[in-house]
Amino acid sequence: MSRLTVGPGITLFKALAGDAVLQAALAVIEASPPRKMLTPGGKAMSVAMTNCGPLGWVTDRDGYRYVSDDPSTGRPWPAMPAPMAELAAAAAEASSFPGFVPEACLVNLYDTESRMGAHQDRDERDRAAPIVSVSFGLSARFRIGGTSRGGPTLSFVLDHGDVLVFGGPARLAYHGVDRVLPGRHATLGAQRINLTFRRVT
Ligand code: MD6
Ligand code: FE
């Protein structure tokens, strides 16, 4: 494990997340399988998504929002497994955001064709809390800029087990996933899983 300050409010922990967190994420994926949601414009996203915790992020023709039930099952999202919430809290604390209790964890499932365009995470009312991101499986090139679109950016690779915390001055930074690097991961094959833990209300 190593801890790197990428920029103001952005901390990267290499290889911090272990197998207990991965197994917990796979159990969530089994309980509420990821699906390609529609953007408000009606296009299917290339990343399949599900959630766990009291709230989950969804998108459809009615827009982006947090809801307490999985629209595809009509039942509450799976509970957030303790190993997931504990890792998110520990990474936040080590990045000077103590007391982080996530309300939502968005689970993103990528194949080698998936991408995530530059966006801000701004559907949360709580902007004081950071977002904690955990990556598993294939590596991906992640890009982050400033709080306005079109400025300078920097990119780095997120590998299996990496944990990225961004908050404070970076909480509304534009960011995205340029591409998943080709290959096969020993346990996840040609897939990447990303977990983002948020405080919403
Ligand atoms: C991903 N991550 O790595 C997409 N958002 O698959 C995000 O969109 C993200 O990594 C907010 C904070 C950290 C992130
Ligand atoms: Fe994001």
Side-chain angles (χ1 to χ4, degrees):
M1 203 278 282
S2 62
R3 177 188 190 281
L4 295 131
T5 299
V6 175
I10 311 171
T11 310
L12 174 60
F13 299 87
K14 294 299 291 180
L16 175 63
D19 197 53
V21 176
L22 174 57
Q23 293 309 319
L26 292 174
V28 168
I29 285 171
E30 195 160 292
S32 233
R35 76 301 308 248
K36 291 182 176 176
M37 298 181 187
L38 295 181
T39 65
K43 288 181 30 173
M45 297 188 76
S46 68
V47 177
M49 297 178 172
T50 186
N51 291 273
C52 65
L55 291 171
W57 186 88
V58 298
T59 174
D60 59 20
R61 285 197 171 77
D62 296 329
Y64 307 137
R65 64 203 179 276
Y66 283 90
V67 295
S68 56
D69 294 340
D70 179 345
S72 59
T73 63
R75 308 206 308 119
W77 298 106
M80 194 180 299
M84 290 172 60
E86 284 163 11
L87 173 69
E93 169 117 42
S95 310
S96 56
F97 295 101
F100 181 60
V101 179
E103 287 179 288
C105 175
L106 172 62
V107 179
N108 290 152
L109 184 65
Y110 293 73
D111 62 29
T112 53
E113 306 306 310
S114 308
R115 281 171 165 59
M116 183 156 322
H119 66 277
Q120 291 173 298
D121 285 47
R122 54 179 309 148
D123 302 318
E124 303 76 25
R125 207 153 39 134
D126 185 335
R127 306 267 173 84
I131 292 182
V132 177
S133 150
V134 178
S135 295
F136 290 114
L138 290 182
S139 299
R141 181 154 292 274
F142 186 82
R143 184 169 297 278
I144 184 161
T147 54
S148 57
R149 202 183 269 283
T153 63
L154 89 87
S155 83
F156 49 92
V157 171
L158 293 176
D159 299 310
H160 182 81
D162 287 0
V163 179
L164 181 66
V165 179
F166 73 86
R171 177 61 184 76
L172 289 176
Y174 277 88
H175 60 279
V177 174
D178 288 358
R179 66 186 200 104
V180 173
L181 305 188
R184 282 192 75 78
H185 183 264
T187 50
L188 294 176
Q191 298 185 104
R192 170 175 186 260
I193 296 173
N194 175 263
L195 313 173
T196 46
F197 296 88
R198 299 109 188 278
R199 219 36 238 178
V200 178
T201 60

